[in-house]
Each structure stands twice: as structure tokens, then as C-alpha cells.
Amino acid sequence: MGNYPTGVTVVTTTDENGVPLGLTVNSFASVSLDPTLILWSIDKRVSTYDIFTNADKFAVHVLAGDQGDICALFASKGTDRFGNCEWEMSDNNLPILKGTAGVLHCKTHKTIEAGDHTILIGEVVEIENYSKPPLLYHNRKFGNIPDEFYK
């Protein structure tokens, strides 16, 4: 699967005490337009697995082409992720990263067990589009969409 190019997202939520949590996710896809549904999957071994799978809402951030450092930050363990990036709490009470290509605010629609992962389906309740080229990931490297494909 490492030879398949993907976009890169960071999914965020809060725990029961309002503490922001987030992780890098490249298993992101559109599911439905009516209603607008998206999906992503989480490894059952992730320390925040229970929080994400029990959360009633989450935000999916489509990282911008210049945010490889944010991707690496939210993929690393033992790091103060939110202390090392710019973010704010949204009106939906979700931690929102700054500088992204876009953000999808979602309410959890359904979870599906799938092997060693769980698929989370979210209903999109708000979309922020900043019209920036997204970050691409392929073969353990980050890159940008060539201009002729984006414009």
C-alpha cells in the first residue's frame, strides 16, 4: 500500500475533559453526497482509540502542501502535538489546525469493525475550504500536486 499515493489528513477531537487530541490519517475517503458522509479508519492499537471511536464528533483537516511538518508531528508519539502548532477551538468545540487546505467538521454517523482497524463514518456538518493545494504522500515522501493539475 506504500506505493499508492494519498492525500494526508489530521483528525482531531477532544476527550471527556476537553483536552484536544489528534492523529495523522491517510485512510480518508468520500462515502456519500446526500447526506454528505466521509470515512477514515483508526488502528485498534492507537492509544486514543477509545476516545476517537466513542467521540460524537471530530474534524478532518486536509493538510496543505506545505504542512509536511504537521503530518509528521501528528504521526509522532510522545510529543505535545497541540503545543507545537497553531490551532484554535471552533464553534463546534473541535480543535482546528491553522494553515490547512480545508476542514470538515463531522458528527459521528457510524463505526464499523474491520480487522485490526475500525472505520469511522462521519456526517459533514460544516466545510471550510481555503483553496490551497493539498499535501500528497507516496513511498514515505511528501509532495505537492503539480500546478498544472491544481489550477
PDB file of all heavy atoms in Angstrom, residues 7-10 28 60-65 67 99-104 130 132-135:
ATOM      1  N   GLY A   7      -3.719  11.544  -0.232  1.00  0.00           N
ATOM      2  CA  GLY A   7      -3.702  12.816   0.458  1.00  0.00           C
ATOM      3  C   GLY A   7      -3.432  12.539   1.928  1.00  0.00           C
ATOM      4  O   GLY A   7      -3.418  11.384   2.363  1.00  0.00           O
ATOM      5  N   VAL A   8      -3.219  13.587   2.686  1.00  0.00           N
ATOM      6  CA  VAL A   8      -2.919  13.411   4.105  1.00  0.00           C
ATOM      7  C   VAL A   8      -3.852  14.298   4.919  1.00  0.00           C
ATOM      8  O   VAL A   8      -4.058  15.470   4.598  1.00  0.00           O
ATOM      9  CB  VAL A   8      -1.460  13.775   4.430  1.00  0.00           C
ATOM     10  CG1 VAL A   8      -1.142  13.486   5.886  1.00  0.00           C
ATOM     11  CG2 VAL A   8      -0.495  13.021   3.530  1.00  0.00           C
ATOM     12  N   THR A   9      -4.412  13.705   5.973  1.00  0.00           N
ATOM     13  CA  THR A   9      -5.294  14.446   6.861  1.00  0.00           C
ATOM     14  C   THR A   9      -4.813  14.309   8.295  1.00  0.00           C
ATOM     15  O   THR A   9      -4.065  13.395   8.631  1.00  0.00           O
ATOM     16  CB  THR A   9      -6.754  13.937   6.777  1.00  0.00           C
ATOM     17  OG1 THR A   9      -6.807  12.599   7.265  1.00  0.00           O
ATOM     18  CG2 THR A   9      -7.284  13.996   5.360  1.00  0.00           C
ATOM     19  N   VAL A  10      -5.268  15.213   9.124  1.00  0.00           N
ATOM     20  CA  VAL A  10      -5.147  15.077  10.576  1.00  0.00           C
ATOM     21  C   VAL A  10      -6.568  15.130  11.103  1.00  0.00           C
ATOM     22  O   VAL A  10      -7.337  16.033  10.762  1.00  0.00           O
ATOM     23  CB  VAL A  10      -4.285  16.197  11.203  1.00  0.00           C
ATOM     24  CG1 VAL A  10      -4.424  16.192  12.723  1.00  0.00           C
ATOM     25  CG2 VAL A  10      -2.824  16.035  10.800  1.00  0.00           C
ATOM     26  N   PHE A  28      -8.600   8.168   4.293  1.00  0.00           N
ATOM     27  CA  PHE A  28      -9.729   9.097   4.245  1.00  0.00           C
ATOM     28  C   PHE A  28     -10.403   8.982   2.884  1.00  0.00           C
ATOM     29  O   PHE A  28      -9.727   8.921   1.857  1.00  0.00           O
ATOM     30  CB  PHE A  28      -9.214  10.520   4.468  1.00  0.00           C
ATOM     31  CG  PHE A  28     -10.229  11.583   4.189  1.00  0.00           C
ATOM     32  CD1 PHE A  28     -11.266  11.826   5.077  1.00  0.00           C
ATOM     33  CD2 PHE A  28     -10.154  12.347   3.040  1.00  0.00           C
ATOM     34  CE1 PHE A  28     -12.211  12.807   4.817  1.00  0.00           C
ATOM     35  CE2 PHE A  28     -11.086  13.333   2.778  1.00  0.00           C
ATOM     36  CZ  PHE A  28     -12.119  13.556   3.671  1.00  0.00           C
ATOM     37  N   VAL A  60     -11.840  16.666  10.331  1.00  0.00           N
ATOM     38  CA  VAL A  60     -10.843  16.134   9.404  1.00  0.00           C
ATOM     39  C   VAL A  60     -10.199  17.321   8.715  1.00  0.00           C
ATOM     40  O   VAL A  60     -10.883  18.106   8.055  1.00  0.00           O
ATOM     41  CB  VAL A  60     -11.472  15.190   8.359  1.00  0.00           C
ATOM     42  CG1 VAL A  60     -10.409  14.687   7.390  1.00  0.00           C
ATOM     43  CG2 VAL A  60     -12.186  14.028   9.044  1.00  0.00           C
ATOM     44  N   HIS A  61      -8.880  17.456   8.873  1.00  0.00           N
ATOM     45  CA  HIS A  61      -8.114  18.545   8.266  1.00  0.00           C
ATOM     46  C   HIS A  61      -7.378  18.009   7.050  1.00  0.00           C
ATOM     47  O   HIS A  61      -6.557  17.098   7.190  1.00  0.00           O
ATOM     48  CB  HIS A  61      -7.083  19.089   9.252  1.00  0.00           C
ATOM     49  CG  HIS A  61      -7.671  19.549  10.544  1.00  0.00           C
ATOM     50  ND1 HIS A  61      -8.084  18.678  11.523  1.00  0.00           N
ATOM     51  CD2 HIS A  61      -7.924  20.792  11.005  1.00  0.00           C
ATOM     52  CE1 HIS A  61      -8.557  19.359  12.545  1.00  0.00           C
ATOM     53  NE2 HIS A  61      -8.484  20.647  12.250  1.00  0.00           N
ATOM     54  N   VAL A  62      -7.671  18.537   5.877  1.00  0.00           N
ATOM     55  CA  VAL A  62      -6.906  18.207   4.682  1.00  0.00           C
ATOM     56  C   VAL A  62      -5.662  19.089   4.729  1.00  0.00           C
ATOM     57  O   VAL A  62      -5.764  20.320   4.659  1.00  0.00           O
ATOM     58  CB  VAL A  62      -7.729  18.469   3.401  1.00  0.00           C
ATOM     59  CG1 VAL A  62      -6.881  18.188   2.165  1.00  0.00           C
ATOM     60  CG2 VAL A  62      -9.005  17.625   3.416  1.00  0.00           C
ATOM     61  N   LEU A  63      -4.506  18.456   4.908  1.00  0.00           N
ATOM     62  CA  LEU A  63      -3.285  19.247   5.066  1.00  0.00           C
ATOM     63  C   LEU A  63      -2.888  19.910   3.760  1.00  0.00           C
ATOM     64  O   LEU A  63      -3.064  19.344   2.670  1.00  0.00           O
ATOM     65  CB  LEU A  63      -2.144  18.371   5.577  1.00  0.00           C
ATOM     66  CG  LEU A  63      -2.343  17.783   6.976  1.00  0.00           C
ATOM     67  CD1 LEU A  63      -1.087  17.018   7.408  1.00  0.00           C
ATOM     68  CD2 LEU A  63      -2.673  18.865   7.998  1.00  0.00           C
ATOM     69  N   ALA A  64      -2.353  21.114   3.873  1.00  0.00           N
ATOM     70  CA  ALA A  64      -1.868  21.869   2.721  1.00  0.00           C
ATOM     71  C   ALA A  64      -0.492  21.358   2.314  1.00  0.00           C
ATOM     72  O   ALA A  64       0.210  20.717   3.104  1.00  0.00           O
ATOM     73  CB  ALA A  64      -1.813  23.362   3.060  1.00  0.00           C
ATOM     74  N   GLY A  65      -0.128  21.633   1.072  1.00  0.00           N
ATOM     75  CA  GLY A  65       1.132  21.152   0.513  1.00  0.00           C
ATOM     76  C   GLY A  65       2.369  21.511   1.315  1.00  0.00           C
ATOM     77  O   GLY A  65       3.385  20.818   1.237  1.00  0.00           O
ATOM     78  N   GLN A  67       2.534  21.515   4.645  1.00  0.00           N
ATOM     79  CA  GLN A  67       2.349  21.075   6.031  1.00  0.00           C
ATOM     80  C   GLN A  67       2.887  19.667   6.314  1.00  0.00           C
ATOM     81  O   GLN A  67       2.373  18.963   7.171  1.00  0.00           O
ATOM     82  CB  GLN A  67       0.869  21.153   6.417  1.00  0.00           C
ATOM     83  CG  GLN A  67       0.379  22.579   6.568  1.00  0.00           C
ATOM     84  CD  GLN A  67      -1.022  22.635   7.118  1.00  0.00           C
ATOM     85  OE1 GLN A  67      -1.948  22.062   6.555  1.00  0.00           O
ATOM     86  NE2 GLN A  67      -1.169  23.329   8.245  1.00  0.00           N
ATOM     87  N   GLY A  99      -3.840  26.886   8.803  1.00  0.00           N
ATOM     88  CA  GLY A  99      -2.998  26.755   7.625  1.00  0.00           C
ATOM     89  C   GLY A  99      -3.316  25.568   6.737  1.00  0.00           C
ATOM     90  O   GLY A  99      -2.563  25.278   5.809  1.00  0.00           O
ATOM     91  N   THR A 100      -4.419  24.875   6.987  1.00  0.00           N
ATOM     92  CA  THR A 100      -4.758  23.695   6.203  1.00  0.00           C
ATOM     93  C   THR A 100      -5.399  24.070   4.865  1.00  0.00           C
ATOM     94  O   THR A 100      -5.774  25.219   4.645  1.00  0.00           O
ATOM     95  CB  THR A 100      -5.727  22.782   6.981  1.00  0.00           C
ATOM     96  OG1 THR A 100      -6.958  23.485   7.194  1.00  0.00           O
ATOM     97  CG2 THR A 100      -5.128  22.345   8.308  1.00  0.00           C
ATOM     98  N   ALA A 101      -5.544  23.072   4.002  1.00  0.00           N
ATOM     99  CA  ALA A 101      -6.240  23.280   2.731  1.00  0.00           C
ATOM    100  C   ALA A 101      -7.747  23.319   2.954  1.00  0.00           C
ATOM    101  O   ALA A 101      -8.470  23.958   2.203  1.00  0.00           O
ATOM    102  CB  ALA A 101      -5.883  22.169   1.747  1.00  0.00           C
ATOM    103  N   GLY A 102      -8.205  22.639   3.999  1.00  0.00           N
ATOM    104  CA  GLY A 102      -9.619  22.620   4.313  1.00  0.00           C
ATOM    105  C   GLY A 102      -9.905  21.800   5.551  1.00  0.00           C
ATOM    106  O   GLY A 102      -9.051  21.031   6.009  1.00  0.00           O
ATOM    107  N   VAL A 103     -11.099  21.986   6.103  1.00  0.00           N
ATOM    108  CA  VAL A 103     -11.512  21.263   7.306  1.00  0.00           C
ATOM    109  C   VAL A 103     -12.960  20.811   7.142  1.00  0.00           C
ATOM    110  O   VAL A 103     -13.813  21.588   6.705  1.00  0.00           O
ATOM    111  CB  VAL A 103     -11.404  22.148   8.575  1.00  0.00           C
ATOM    112  CG1 VAL A 103     -11.788  21.344   9.816  1.00  0.00           C
ATOM    113  CG2 VAL A 103     -10.020  22.747   8.726  1.00  0.00           C
ATOM    114  N   LEU A 104     -13.212  19.563   7.512  1.00  0.00           N
ATOM    115  CA  LEU A 104     -14.565  19.021   7.533  1.00  0.00           C
ATOM    116  C   LEU A 104     -14.944  18.774   8.989  1.00  0.00           C
ATOM    117  O   LEU A 104     -14.297  17.984   9.673  1.00  0.00           O
ATOM    118  CB  LEU A 104     -14.628  17.705   6.756  1.00  0.00           C
ATOM    119  CG  LEU A 104     -14.174  17.766   5.303  1.00  0.00           C
ATOM    120  CD1 LEU A 104     -14.022  16.372   4.734  1.00  0.00           C
ATOM    121  CD2 LEU A 104     -15.149  18.576   4.479  1.00  0.00           C
ATOM    122  N   TYR A 130     -10.066  26.393   2.019  1.00  0.00           N
ATOM    123  CA  TYR A 130      -9.134  27.509   1.897  1.00  0.00           C
ATOM    124  C   TYR A 130      -8.436  27.545   0.541  1.00  0.00           C
ATOM    125  O   TYR A 130      -7.515  28.322   0.340  1.00  0.00           O
ATOM    126  CB  TYR A 130      -8.123  27.468   3.043  1.00  0.00           C
ATOM    127  CG  TYR A 130      -8.814  27.552   4.378  1.00  0.00           C
ATOM    128  CD1 TYR A 130      -8.817  26.475   5.252  1.00  0.00           C
ATOM    129  CD2 TYR A 130      -9.509  28.700   4.751  1.00  0.00           C
ATOM    130  CE1 TYR A 130      -9.476  26.549   6.476  1.00  0.00           C
ATOM    131  CE2 TYR A 130     -10.169  28.776   5.968  1.00  0.00           C
ATOM    132  CZ  TYR A 130     -10.142  27.696   6.815  1.00  0.00           C
ATOM    133  OH  TYR A 130     -10.803  27.766   8.008  1.00  0.00           O
ATOM    134  N   LYS A 132      -6.236  25.836  -1.014  1.00  0.00           N
ATOM    135  CA  LYS A 132      -4.799  25.603  -1.088  1.00  0.00           C
ATOM    136  C   LYS A 132      -4.561  24.214  -1.663  1.00  0.00           C
ATOM    137  O   LYS A 132      -5.354  23.306  -1.426  1.00  0.00           O
ATOM    138  CB  LYS A 132      -4.176  25.646   0.311  1.00  0.00           C
ATOM    139  CG  LYS A 132      -4.203  26.977   0.982  1.00  0.00           C
ATOM    140  CD  LYS A 132      -3.522  26.845   2.332  1.00  0.00           C
ATOM    141  CE  LYS A 132      -3.441  28.156   3.054  1.00  0.00           C
ATOM    142  NZ  LYS A 132      -2.725  28.015   4.333  1.00  0.00           N
ATOM    143  N   PRO A 133      -3.470  24.035  -2.400  1.00  0.00           N
ATOM    144  CA  PRO A 133      -3.144  22.687  -2.879  1.00  0.00           C
ATOM    145  C   PRO A 133      -2.872  21.758  -1.682  1.00  0.00           C
ATOM    146  O   PRO A 133      -2.221  22.162  -0.718  1.00  0.00           O
ATOM    147  CB  PRO A 133      -1.874  22.881  -3.705  1.00  0.00           C
ATOM    148  CG  PRO A 133      -1.789  24.333  -3.982  1.00  0.00           C
ATOM    149  CD  PRO A 133      -2.520  25.028  -2.873  1.00  0.00           C
ATOM    150  N   PRO A 134      -3.380  20.519  -1.730  1.00  0.00           N
ATOM    151  CA  PRO A 134      -3.196  19.601  -0.607  1.00  0.00           C
ATOM    152  C   PRO A 134      -1.834  18.923  -0.614  1.00  0.00           C
ATOM    153  O   PRO A 134      -1.143  18.879  -1.636  1.00  0.00           O
ATOM    154  CB  PRO A 134      -4.303  18.573  -0.821  1.00  0.00           C
ATOM    155  CG  PRO A 134      -4.474  18.532  -2.303  1.00  0.00           C
ATOM    156  CD  PRO A 134      -4.243  19.950  -2.760  1.00  0.00           C
ATOM    157  N   LEU A 135      -1.481  18.383   0.527  1.00  0.00           N
ATOM    158  CA  LEU A 135      -0.264  17.598   0.699  1.00  0.00           C
ATOM    159  C   LEU A 135      -0.494  16.192   0.166  1.00  0.00           C
ATOM    160  O   LEU A 135      -1.533  15.591   0.413  1.00  0.00           O
ATOM    161  CB  LEU A 135       0.089  17.533   2.186  1.00  0.00           C
ATOM    162  CG  LEU A 135       1.361  16.781   2.575  1.00  0.00           C
ATOM    163  CD1 LEU A 135       2.593  17.501   2.039  1.00  0.00           C
ATOM    164  CD2 LEU A 135       1.451  16.661   4.099  1.00  0.00           C
TER     165      LEU A 135
END
